[in-house]
Amino acid sequence: MRNKARWIFALLTISIFSIANGCTKLNIPKESHDTIDCNETQNTAEESSFEPTLENKNKPATDKTPKEMVWIPGGEFSMGSNVKDESLCSIKGVTKDAAPIHRVYVDGFYMDKTEVTNEQFEAFVKSTGYVTLVENKPTPEQYPDVPLENLIAGSAVFTPTPAKVDLNNYLQWWTYVGGADWRHPEGPLSSIKGKEKYPVVQVSYEDAVAYAEWAGKRLPTEAEWEFAARGGKTGQLYAWGNILKPEGKFQGNIYQGNFPVENGDTGADGYIGIAPTAQFSPNSYGIYDIGGNVWEWTNDWYTADYYSILKDYGKVTRNPQGPEKSHDPSEPGLPKKVQRGGSFLCTDQYCTRYMVGTRGKGDYQSPANHIGFRCVKSI
């Protein structure tokens, strides 16, 4: 029975759905507007919770920055979020596991300007012959309780609904699609031809690690990711500031319109679905797409109480590496890694984790068509 349950988790990639749900189940009102009109407010109510960011002044001994990377100086900063940073539409629970705010120090490092693209990942595959997790057909030895006809290589794909649905039932807009992989992100009839500059998706945590090692890099820790995303700023809601649409312009690829309805995304930000990398302005460190477009794997195991543990430590935590193992109270038997940044499916009706201090989580063996990654490199 346990194997069967594990197969169900793997086959449906339930853990990716918990990204949208957070640590606690969100109680979305059944009566919702056709389009959401939220009042934007600046993050000033608990400004004192965030102490100033103190950037390191030292720089690498050499000025030879690796290709397509930028230098992140590191330093001390206030990490996390608080209840005042909840969704602009008052959806509760999205910051529960991102509290309390705590002080962290990270050493300087290099970070990819963009998420790893299809052409970059293809170069890795051609060089090594690597086969991603979802390209491997599940075996009877792995899942002895599953009928043979159901053991099909594939992955989770966002599937819009024909009409408005209750947003408490996320299984309505995710489908396990046979043949979905990084070359065919939405199934065997889809393709990445002409999308060389798009972020690679349908890669598991282990796939991302394999690429990073080949490239002489690694995945960022969650603390490194947030330091870089904040761009030296203190306590802002987004990587670009405190206003979602400064001067009425979107700063990242997120979802506008009726979620998750077919043709519901209006593309008001310029894109319906996933977008090529670097289509919006970078943050102050020169990093693109740090909010929206695709979720990004980090190296940290996920626990809901990790920030509380760091806060209780009572000192500045230096270069935290995350907990030793994962524990999600909502799915205690499913090991998860932290994901950051939100995706093109994040919407103020349901998921606002394009906010820079919030967290995502996912089964490290469960990719989807809205999950990618970027790499870092130590000096």
Side-chain angles (χ1 to χ4, degrees):
M1 188 67 184
R2 183 177 180 182
N3 285 333
K4 185 174 182 180
R6 177 64 179 139
W7 168 75
I8 293 172
F9 278 131
L11 206 54
L12 295 179
T13 58
I14 295 299
S15 63
I16 66 168
F17 309 142
S18 65
I19 294 171
N21 269 351
C23 286
T24 59
K25 186 172 178 62
L26 303 181
N27 293 315
I28 312 295
K30 291 188 177 181
E31 293 184 5
S32 59
H33 301 292
D34 288 342
T35 57
I36 298 296
D37 182 17
C38 301
N39 295 319
E40 295 185 13
T41 56
Q42 291 194 2
N43 181 29
T44 58
E46 291 195 18
E47 190 171 315
S48 61
S49 298
F50 293 92
E51 298 176 25
T53 296
L54 307 174
E55 295 178 316
N56 291 331
K57 301 302 181 183
N58 60 307
K59 295 183 179 180
T62 175
D63 60 358
K64 293 182 180 180
T65 300
K67 185 178 180 182
E68 299 303 320
M69 301 187 86
V70 294
W71 171 246
I72 309 299
E76 184 180 319
F77 74 114
S78 290
M79 182 175 178
S81 189
N82 57 43
V83 72
K84 298 298 181 182
D85 295 345
E86 290 281 17
S87 164
L88 298 175
C89 287
S90 299
I91 298 174
K92 301 301 180 184
V94 299
T95 62
K96 186 175 181 180
D97 62 350
I101 296 165
H102 54 288
R103 294 294 280 181
V104 170
Y105 169 88
V106 294
D107 291 326
F109 57 96
Y110 294 104
M111 183 177 239
D112 288 344
K113 291 181 180 179
T114 71
E115 293 135 350
V116 173
T117 63
N118 286 319
E119 66 179 356
Q120 290 172 323
F121 197 80
E122 184 174 35
F124 157 63
V125 171
K126 286 183 176 180
S127 174
T128 63
Y130 185 83
V131 178
T132 62
L133 177 69
V134 299
E135 293 176 277
N136 289 296
K137 182 179 178 180
T139 67
E141 290 74 24
Q142 291 173 301
Y143 308 107
D145 298 325
V146 178
L148 290 177
E149 63 270 21
N150 291 336
L151 294 176
I152 302 171
S155 189
V157 174
F158 172 69
T159 308
T161 59
K164 289 195 297 183
V165 295
D166 180 358
L167 296 183
N168 284 305
N169 184 4
Y170 44 78
L171 291 175
Q172 296 172 100
W173 57 85
W174 285 101
T175 305
Y176 185 88
V177 177
D181 56 41
W182 71 272
R183 293 186 181 90
H184 313 92
E186 297 177 351
L189 299 181
S190 64
S191 172
I192 58 171
K193 185 177 181 179
K195 297 182 177 181
E196 289 79 11
K197 301 296 184 182
Y198 282 61
V200 65
V201 293
Q202 296 292 15
V203 288
S204 69
Y205 165 80
E206 293 174 329
D207 298 333
V209 168
Y211 171 91
E213 291 177 350
W214 170 80
K217 304 176 184 180
R218 60 180 174 82
L219 295 186
T221 65
E222 185 180 13
E224 288 173 329
W225 190 98
E226 185 168 325
F227 185 94
R230 290 193 177 279
K233 310 300 182 182
T234 300
Q236 294 187 338
L237 279 174
Y238 312 106
W240 51 85
N242 281 318
I243 301 297
L244 179 62
K245 297 186 294 180
E247 299 182 355
K249 297 181 180 179
F250 284 98
Q251 302 299 303
N253 180 26
I254 57 178
Y255 193 105
Q256 302 90 39
N258 294 319
F259 181 85
V261 182
E262 187 174 2
N263 299 319
D265 187 353
T266 65
D269 56 21
Y271 297 93
I272 295 175
I274 195 170
T277 59
Q279 299 303 297
F280 299 88
S281 298
N283 76 353
S284 56
Y285 285 156
I287 300 171
Y288 293 89
D289 305 314
I290 204 71
N293 214 20
V294 297
W295 284 100
E296 299 179 15
W297 290 109
T298 73
N299 197 54
D300 292 25
W301 288 112
Y302 173 85
T303 62
D305 63 350
Y306 187 56
Y307 285 15
S308 295
I309 293 172
L310 295 184
K311 179 70 172 181
D312 292 343
Y313 175 62
K315 300 179 182 179
V316 176
T317 307
R318 296 183 66 86
N319 298 309
Q321 302 295 306
E324 293 183 359
K325 59 182 180 179
S326 170
H327 177 72
D328 182 359
S330 63
E331 293 174 332
L334 200 61
K336 298 180 181 181
K337 289 286 185 175
V338 175
Q339 299 166 339
R340 283 301 205 106
S343 79
F344 63 88
L345 295 177
C346 277
T347 163
D348 52 16
Q349 297 171 65
Y350 188 68
C351 163
T352 54
R353 287 188 177 84
Y354 42 78
M355 296 189 299
V356 71
T358 56
R359 311 171 76 199
K361 57 188 177 181
D363 174 6
Y364 75 106
Q365 293 183 315
S366 294
N369 69 313
H370 69 335
I371 301 174
F373 68 102
R374 78 177 74 216
C375 301
V376 299
K377 185 180 181 70
S378 301
I379 57 173

